Amino acid sequence: MFESLLEKLREKNGGSIPFENTAEEIQQKLNDINENKKIGADLLFMITYMASITHANVSRPEIFAYTSERREYIPTKYMKRVECFVKRWNYSYAESLRMVADRVRNPLVESLLNRFGNSIEAGIPDEEFLTEELETVRNVYRNDFEQGIEMLKKWSDAYIALMLSATIVSIIIMVSVAIYAPNDLDSTLNSSYCLAAGVSAFGIFSMYRSIPEDQKCHDLPGGGTYEQKLVHRLEKVIIPTALIASLILFFTGVNFGLICIMFGLLLAPLAIFGWKDDANIIVRDEDFTVFIRGLGSIMGGMGMTVTPALAKVDRKSLHVLGDYIDAVYSKMNIGLDDTLVWHKFVMDTGSNLIYKYLSIFKDSIELGAGPTEVSHIVSTSMLEQTLLRQKREMIGMGFIVLLIPMHVAMVGIFAFLFHILLTMSRAIKEVMTTFQDTAAALSSSSGSVGGSMVGSINIFVNFPEDKMIMFLILSILIVTVANAIAGKIVKGGDRYMYYVFGSLLFILSGLIYIVTPALVGILFSIPGFESI
């Protein structure tokens, strides 16, 4: 039955079923978005690598062969395809580059491949082209990054405005429920949930699309720094424990504010170690730029190998990396394998930039390139990224400074108004219970005056307390989770930054939830009805 129906649909739609490939298309679109965010930095890494090894006088086939093996850069897969066309199908490099460019969906890579093919046809030496292309890629990367920062400024302000608007709409819905008590209450509340979640998702996705990618931590197997390894070990225990404990406490009727505080405190160790590691990586990357330029200058100027050159590197200019360099020197000085020693250095620093640029420097030197030229190329590219990162950090910290008080204001206003409505509802119910006979007498004797008084009092009587408490809890959860994700996206860093903002915002939400009823009880009181 279903097979015949599918065949009929295929016949009527030209051999395909409507929405048959929708899921694959959506997945492909998401993959393209993720790849396009990372490809700018990886393109800079790849061209830096190619420009560096050309100083070793390698041939064109060697350039493509060595580059295609650098699988940590996304664009190298296209170089692998070029090499395949040349070696297996006997195409020229210019033809292969154009053929691959026609199949590339990223405009930056497509443009690069076409320019490379044109330069080969024009007879321009590879070293000259790659040196000029490196400067072009740096300028393009800088321009895209700065444009992303400008977009981030606008979208961060837009996100704050959107979240405040969504909160105001939720507050209006809550007040409307208290006044009118609609019959279809569940659909009304569900529409508020969908609105808050949809606005949050739209704002977060827009910021994610606009902000440039800046991977701080490398993803090598075996972990990284002490803090990274500690976070990765602890999160396997803390996250499931926090989620399970929170669900158990919620269903046993524990105050939601206490649950939020407990959840935030459980995340606090991960947040502390994560924040510390993020700050350390930023400083290590800035130090490495100075270190690699100095090391290359010493090696090239004095004709030294790496080990004696390390002893002459000025430690005073290295505020953080000095101890790591001393450890590398001591291990190399006793004859340990250089590859293992540098791998240990990369793992201990935990930085993605150090991992990428150190491997470029080492490979180029091993191929016979001049240390001075290579160190200049590597340090200049890395300096470009560290300076742009400083701009992003400044914008990110500005957003965070605004996000935290905004979150407190949103949750505080929401909870404060809710408890005011709840206090009014309870007080009016108590008044109506105590003065039922008086209200009936007023209605019968005073006519319209008594009826209007009873009608106005009935406005807040049907306030659905249980459902509205759940409405408050879910609304606070949506806002808190959304703001934690937004903070991580703007600040950047490894996934432990989710724990940083999650811990802080959940603790603040819990404190507000607990303190608000007491403040309402102190500051807000229903006028007395003794005169009635």
Side-chain angles (χ1 to χ4, degrees):
M1 175 180 178
F2 291 105
E3 293 180 357
S4 61
L5 179 60
L6 292 176
E7 291 299 328
K8 291 180 180 179
L9 287 174
R10 289 183 187 276
E11 291 177 1
K12 293 181 179 180
N13 291 276
S16 63
I17 300 176
F19 307 107
E20 182 179 12
N21 300 320
T22 302
E24 295 180 0
E25 292 173 356
I26 293 175
Q27 183 63 41
Q28 183 62 50
K29 183 64 175 177
L30 293 176
N31 291 337
D32 290 343
I33 292 173
N34 188 47
E35 181 176 307
N36 290 338
K37 280 181 63 66
K38 296 180 179 179
I39 203 136
D42 278 11
L43 198 60
L44 178 57
F45 292 139
M46 187 186 76
I47 299 300
T48 302
Y49 178 83
M50 297 175 75
S52 297
I53 63 175
T54 56
H55 288 276
N57 295 322
V58 294
S59 63
R60 181 175 297 158
E62 289 176 321
I63 292 175
F64 281 90
Y66 289 133
T67 304
S68 63
E69 296 301 321
R70 309 298 301 187
R71 298 183 180 179
E72 62 266 32
Y73 314 143
I74 293 176
T76 55
K77 63 184 180 182
Y78 304 115
M79 296 300 177
K80 188 74 172 178
R81 297 176 190 174
V82 172
E83 191 183 23
C84 178
F85 281 124
V86 172
K87 292 184 176 180
R88 293 189 179 183
W89 300 98
N90 296 321
Y91 286 98
S92 67
Y93 279 101
E95 292 173 332
S96 301
L97 286 165
R98 287 201 184 91
M99 291 171 64
V100 175
D102 291 339
R103 294 166 175 80
V104 173
R105 288 190 295 270
N106 186 275
L108 292 178
V109 179
E110 180 184 1
S111 177
L112 169 66
L113 297 177
N114 283 323
R115 289 198 304 272
F116 203 172
N118 293 335
S119 72
I120 291 175
E121 278 194 345
I124 300 174
D126 293 339
E127 181 179 354
E128 181 181 342
F129 168 77
L130 290 172
T131 301
E132 294 178 356
E133 188 63 26
L134 177 59
E135 188 63 29
T136 301
V137 171
R138 285 175 185 162
N139 291 332
V140 171
Y141 178 77
R142 184 192 310 117
N143 181 67
D144 291 345
F145 204 100
E146 290 176 346
Q147 284 184 356
I149 291 175
E150 291 299 320
M151 289 296 296
L152 175 61
K153 292 179 184 178
K154 299 181 184 299
W155 275 114
S156 59
D157 294 339
Y159 175 80
I160 299 295
L162 286 171
M163 293 302 295
L164 287 174
S165 301
T167 303
I168 291 173
V169 172
S170 299
I171 290 173
I172 293 173
I173 290 176
M174 181 176 63
V175 175
S176 301
V177 168
I179 295 175
Y180 299 107
N183 295 327
D184 195 5
L185 179 60
D186 291 335
S187 63
T188 303
L189 299 183
N190 290 336
S191 64
S192 178
Y193 300 144
C194 293
L195 176 65
V199 168
S200 303
F202 175 75
I204 290 171
F205 181 72
S206 299
M207 286 194 297
Y208 175 78
R209 283 289 305 273
S210 63
I211 196 167
E213 179 70 16
D214 180 23
Q215 183 180 347
K216 294 180 181 178
C217 303
H218 61 65
D219 50 5
L220 294 174
T225 63
Y226 170 77
E227 291 85 2
Q228 291 173 15
K229 292 178 180 178
L230 188 60
V231 169
H232 294 164
R233 286 199 301 267
L234 290 177
E235 68 181 357
K236 296 177 182 178
V237 178
I238 291 179
I239 300 302
T241 302
L243 292 175
I244 294 172
S246 299
L247 290 174
I248 292 175
L249 292 176
F250 179 77
F251 287 112
T252 53
V254 177
N255 185 281
F256 175 71
L258 293 175
I259 297 175
C260 285
I261 294 175
M262 181 273 300
F263 188 81
L265 291 176
L266 286 175
L267 294 182
L270 304 178
I272 293 171
F273 288 117
W275 185 269
K276 180 181 178 182
D277 183 69
D278 186 77
N280 288 337
I281 285 178
I282 293 174
V283 181
R284 287 171 192 154
D285 287 344
E286 294 172 357
D287 269 10
F288 186 79
T289 304
V290 179
F291 161 71
I292 201 67
R293 185 185 290 268
L295 179 64
S297 299
I298 293 170
M299 291 175 64
M302 298 185 177
M304 293 181 174
T305 58
V306 175
T307 304
L310 285 173
K312 294 186 174 296
V313 173
D314 183 17
R315 301 297 193 274
K316 295 180 182 179
S317 60
L318 305 178
H319 304 289
V320 177
L321 278 183
D323 294 337
Y324 295 92
I325 301 304
D326 290 337
V328 171
Y329 172 71
S330 62
K331 292 172 184 176
M332 286 186 175
N333 202 34
I334 61 176
L336 295 182
D337 183 71
D338 292 3
T339 302
L340 296 178
V341 172
W342 283 120
H343 179 73
K344 175 66 175 173
F345 171 77
V346 170
M347 297 297 286
D348 289 343
T349 55
S351 167
N352 180 60
L353 293 184
I354 292 178
Y355 160 57
K356 297 289 177 61
Y357 284 115
L358 180 62
S359 63
I360 293 173
F361 179 80
K362 286 172 62 269
D363 286 1
S364 301
I365 298 301
E366 290 173 0
L367 290 172
T372 304
E373 293 82 2
V374 173
S375 65
H376 175 74
I377 292 172
V378 169
S379 62
T380 304
S381 293
M382 187 168 181
L383 180 62
E384 189 76 49
Q385 291 184 279
T386 55
L387 292 177
L388 290 172
R389 176 184 289 174
Q390 290 177 2
K391 292 184 179 180
R392 172 176 172 168
E393 288 292 319
M394 182 180 64
I395 301 299
M397 290 305 299
F399 175 76
I400 293 168
V401 170
L402 179 62
L403 177 69
I404 295 174
M406 184 272 294
H407 176 80
V408 172
M410 288 169 57
V411 176
I413 293 172
F414 205 112
F416 199 87
L417 288 177
F418 169 79
H419 286 288
I420 289 176
L421 294 175
L422 187 61
T423 302
M424 291 179 62
S425 175
R426 289 174 177 175
I428 292 174
K429 284 181 181 179
E430 183 179 351
V431 168
M432 290 189 65
T433 302
T434 306
F435 297 102
Q436 280 183 355
D437 295 338
T438 305
L442 287 172
S443 299
S444 60
S445 61
S446 302
S448 60
V449 176
S452 62
M453 180 181 293
V454 174
S456 62
I457 293 176
N458 282 334
I459 287 177
F460 291 96
V461 172
N462 297 323
F463 189 68
E465 183 174 331
D466 293 338
K467 288 186 176 182
M468 295 311 294
I469 289 176
M470 183 58 63
F471 175 71
L472 173 65
I473 291 173
L474 291 178
S475 298
I476 291 177
L477 276 177
I478 292 173
V479 170
T480 304
V481 172
N483 289 340
I485 296 174
K488 190 273 174 188
I489 289 175
V490 174
K491 182 68 171 63
D494 200 29
R495 66 172 180 267
Y496 48 55
M497 297 306 296
Y498 288 117
Y499 308 141
V500 173
F501 293 102
S503 175
L504 178 61
L505 296 181
F506 269 103
I507 290 175
L508 291 175
S509 298
L511 290 174
I512 293 170
Y513 190 89
I514 293 174
V515 171
T516 302
L519 289 177
V520 171
I522 295 172
L523 302 176
F524 185 81
S525 60
I526 301 294
F529 288 85
E530 291 83 358
S531 59
I532 297 179

